[in-house]
Amino acid sequence: MSSFHQYFIPWTISQVVSLLILYVSWKKPVWARYIFAVLFFGAGIFNLFTGLKTPEAYLMYSETAIGLYREFITGWFSAHIRIVIPLIATGQLLIGLFMVMGRRWLDLGCLGIIIFLMAIAPLGVGSAFPFSITVSVAAYLVYRHNLHVNMK
C-alpha cells in the first residue's frame, strides 16, 4: 500500500475544495449546479481521453482501494479498462449535462453525483476520501433546494 505522504498535498487541496463546494451548495445552490457541471464535464473529458490513451493509469487506484475494490481493479477491471472507463466518462458527461438542464433533469444529475461519489469512496485516499462524502452531501443540498423550488 502506498504511503499517504505522496497524496498529502492533492488530498488536502481536495478536502478544501469539497468544503467550498459544500458551502456554496448550502448558500448558493444555483451556483453549485454550475460548479458540479464544470467538475463532471471536466472529469468526463479527462477520463474519456485518459481511458482511451493510457488506460493502465487507472490501475494505480488498486494501491489505495480497500478489499474487494482492490481485487476488482487488479482482476476483471484490469482486463476491461478500455470499455469501463469510457462508460464511466459518458456517465460523468451526462451528469454534467443534467446539472445545466431544466429542473426535472437536475434531480437525476444530483442522484448521479451521489451514486458516483459513493461508488468511488472505497478507493480511499486515491479518490481523496472523504471528498466523496462531503460532496455527496453538497449534491443532496442542491437536490433539496430544487425540490423546494419545484414545490412552490
Side-chain angles (χ1 to χ4, degrees):
M1 184 174 259
S2 291
S3 169
F4 179 71
H5 294 83
Q6 74 185 64
Y7 295 101
F8 182 72
I9 292 173
W11 180 87
T12 303
I13 292 167
S14 295
Q15 301 322 304
V16 171
V17 168
S18 73
L19 292 172
L20 290 171
I21 292 170
L22 181 62
Y23 180 78
V24 171
S25 295
W26 176 45
K27 291 293 189 178
K28 300 283 186 186
V30 174
W31 292 8
R33 288 177 64 171
Y34 298 106
I35 291 170
F36 280 127
V38 169
L39 284 174
F40 277 85
F41 276 130
I45 291 167
F46 176 84
N47 284 322
L48 184 61
F49 286 108
T50 305
L52 294 173
K53 290 189 82 159
T54 55
E56 63 282 352
Y58 293 91
L59 296 176
M60 71 174 192
Y61 290 105
S62 68
E63 297 173 11
T64 61
I66 61 169
L68 292 175
Y69 266 58
R70 183 178 305 114
E71 292 174 25
F72 174 75
I73 292 167
T74 57
W76 186 88
F77 177 79
S78 68
H80 299 89
I81 299 172
R82 289 188 188 272
I83 297 167
V84 176
I85 295 299
L87 289 173
I88 291 170
T90 300
Q92 291 172 317
L93 291 167
L94 285 171
I95 289 169
L97 181 64
F98 293 161
M99 296 308 289
V100 295
M101 293 178 64
R103 290 183 179 150
R104 293 179 185 175
W105 292 100
L106 178 63
D107 290 348
L108 188 57
C110 289
L111 179 63
I113 289 169
I114 293 166
I115 291 170
F116 175 78
L117 292 174
M118 290 299 99
I120 66 168
L123 296 175
V125 70
S127 66
F129 185 84
F131 175 95
S132 56
I133 304 297
T134 307
V135 177
S136 289
V137 171
Y140 178 73
L141 291 175
V142 172
Y143 164 78
R144 289 280 304 178
H145 176 264
N146 186 47
L147 187 65
H148 177 72
V149 169
N150 283 332
M151 293 175 75
K152 289 184 176 182

